[in-house]
Amino acid sequence: MIDIHGHCPDRFSGVKDAFAANFTNAPEGLDELAARFSVCIGGETVIDLWAGHADAAKTTPFTDRSLVPVFSTGKVVMSLMIATLVERGLTTYDTPVADIWSAFGQAGKGEITLGQLMSHQAGLAGFDQTVDPSVWFEPGAVLERLAAQAPLWPPGSASGYHPITIGYLAGEVFRRLDGRTMGTALREDFADPFDLDLWIGLPEDQHDRVAQLRKPSAAPDLGTIDPIKKAAFLDRGSAPGGRGSTEWRKMEIPSANMHARADALARLMGVLAGGGLLDGKTILSPETLAEATRERIHGPDRVLPFTIRWAAGWMRNEGLDIFGPDPQTLGHCGWGGSCAMADPTTNVSAAYVMTRQSPHLIGDPRALRLFEALYAAV
């Protein structure tokens, strides 16, 4: 019997049942160790459930203060931070990145726009040469390499998911236009004033709140492997390594190392679901929201084995059907199964975090079960 904490109105009892079933009757090898599922409707948190243990030895309860590494689910926040630059008139999605950061224009990249960069069309999904994984802990070296590198495919011709590089690139755009790092701006503009427990770069005094993960039992299925997929996911230096978890957590990598609570992610995604508002304050105007969330490219992705409709950083649900039934829903998934979504049709936003990771690149069956139960009652 699993001890579930939080709140869930009777109307959504099926969601609580589905959450419990992920602990007691999950697909093979995916039974939960700890998880949290939060849902906002109209900007108000209506469901917030958590259960399990924060450590592998099952001696420490997972609580409402526990943080979880959500990896690429953090891209929903990264993309919103870029949208705030557009909202403030500091740039547009049609602006060439080289106009913001001149060195980026090397090697045939001078015409790549911010909108193309954010929708994974820039051809910089990974390095074109094998690097030592410790290079990721030297942001200046990463940016210098990417700025000098030629695209791995013709920019604008296709999307190709940038697992980690997009965080360094978007972060540099943000820093040059705003003057702050993205992690600092997230804390000052959102986390502190709106009480959102979201971190890009986790201070060491917060590390004891981080729940332990169990890695997937199998590698993800990337489809047919080619040099682009190798550069993005499989080369020795395609992901950070060579430093301990403390240094990893402290780094600011907006695409990959966010630490978060599900309730905070769900509330922030309410900006996309609720017409640009957060707690009644306008974060994005209707015009900026429309530009940020519209489809920018649609087709077979060069890195992920899916046909994807990309907005400016978020996946659109049409054709994927992983964030409920509405094709207008936007969201993103993270390594191991976490995800966050926003449905502007029903003004529903939600987030799922967990500690047992699965090999599913998107559409983890535990999250699908929760969304199915949610929409059965919405």
Side-chain angles (χ1 to χ4, degrees):
M1 190 73 176
I2 183 68
D3 190 9
I4 298 175
H5 305 273
H7 63 270
C8 181
D10 290 343
R11 170 188 171 193
F12 297 104
S13 61
V15 175
K16 189 173 184 179
D17 291 342
F19 186 78
N22 282 341
F23 284 84
T24 61
N25 188 28
E28 184 177 356
L30 290 183
D31 49 304
E32 301 280 29
L33 299 174
R36 188 168 185 174
F37 184 58
S38 302
V39 178
C40 296
I41 300 179
E44 297 294 326
T45 303
V46 296
I47 302 172
D48 191 19
L49 300 171
W50 65 89
H53 292 85
D55 62 331
K58 296 186 177 182
T59 60
T60 304
F62 185 92
T63 74
D64 62 335
R65 297 295 297 164
S66 297
L67 289 171
V68 178
V70 298
F71 302 100
S72 288
T73 297
K75 289 183 173 76
V76 299
V77 179
M78 176 191 76
S79 303
L80 179 61
M81 297 301 291
I82 291 294
T84 65
L85 298 176
V86 177
E87 176 67 20
R88 293 154 56 195
L90 298 177
T91 189
T92 73
Y93 286 112
D94 294 328
T95 300
V97 176
D99 286 4
I100 303 166
W101 170 22
S102 60
F104 182 84
Q106 300 175 73
K109 303 194 300 297
E111 301 303 314
I112 296 173
T113 67
L114 180 59
Q116 289 175 320
L117 176 69
M118 294 306 297
S119 53
H120 301 271
Q121 300 183 61
L124 298 172
F127 295 121
D128 58 1
Q129 297 180 0
T130 299
V131 299
D132 190 278
S134 64
V135 74
W136 295 99
F137 293 90
E138 302 172 21
V142 172
L143 293 169
E144 184 177 358
R145 281 180 173 273
L146 293 175
Q149 183 174 306
L152 298 175
W153 65 87
S157 64
S159 71
Y161 180 54
H162 294 39
I164 300 177
T165 55
I166 187 63
Y168 289 83
L169 298 168
E172 181 66 2
V173 167
F174 191 94
R175 186 190 66 81
R176 286 174 175 269
L177 290 172
D178 179 274
R180 299 171 292 174
T181 67
M182 192 178 287
T184 297
L186 173 64
R187 185 179 68 251
E188 294 177 351
D189 297 351
F190 290 99
D192 288 347
F194 294 100
D195 191 25
L196 298 174
D197 208 353
L198 302 170
W199 304 84
I200 299 173
L202 187 68
E204 198 163 353
D205 63 4
Q206 301 292 322
H207 289 195
D208 61 352
R209 293 201 290 137
V210 179
Q212 293 180 344
L213 299 180
R214 180 173 292 183
K215 291 183 178 180
S217 58
D221 181 6
L222 292 170
T224 302
I225 302 301
D226 61 18
I228 293 174
K229 293 183 181 183
K230 285 182 180 179
F233 276 120
L234 301 175
D235 277 349
R236 175 173 174 266
S238 63
R243 305 271 184 99
S245 60
T246 296
E247 289 304 308
W248 160 258
R249 291 170 181 166
K250 290 164 60 177
M251 281 286 294
E252 287 194 24
I253 309 176
S255 54
N257 78 334
M258 169 163 278
H259 291 73
R261 288 174 13 200
D263 60 325
L265 283 168
R267 283 183 59 207
L268 191 62
M269 286 298 279
V271 174
L272 303 186
L277 300 179
L278 179 59
D279 291 356
K281 180 179 179 180
T282 298
I283 304 300
L284 301 178
S285 66
E287 295 77 17
T288 302
L289 185 61
E291 269 295 285
T293 59
R294 71 172 175 86
E295 180 183 306
R296 293 186 170 270
I297 192 165
H298 169 220
D301 195 82
R302 296 295 302 266
V303 172
L304 296 177
F306 307 105
T307 295
I308 302 176
R309 300 175 186 269
W310 285 105
W314 304 277
M315 296 179 182
R316 294 181 60 84
N317 196 40
E318 183 178 359
L320 293 176
D321 303 320
I322 56 174
F323 303 120
D326 196 311
Q328 301 304 313
T329 298
L330 304 108
H332 211 291
C333 302
W335 179 46
S338 65
C339 62
M341 55 78 80
D343 180 348
T345 302
T346 58
N347 200 349
V348 167
S349 57
Y352 163 71
V353 304
M354 76 303 125
T355 60
R356 184 188 290 278
Q357 296 182 287
S358 85
H360 296 272
L361 289 167
I362 65 174
D364 185 288
R366 296 166 296 181
L368 293 178
R369 172 185 267 169
L370 292 168
F371 290 136
E372 182 180 3
L374 171 63
Y375 277 94
V378 168

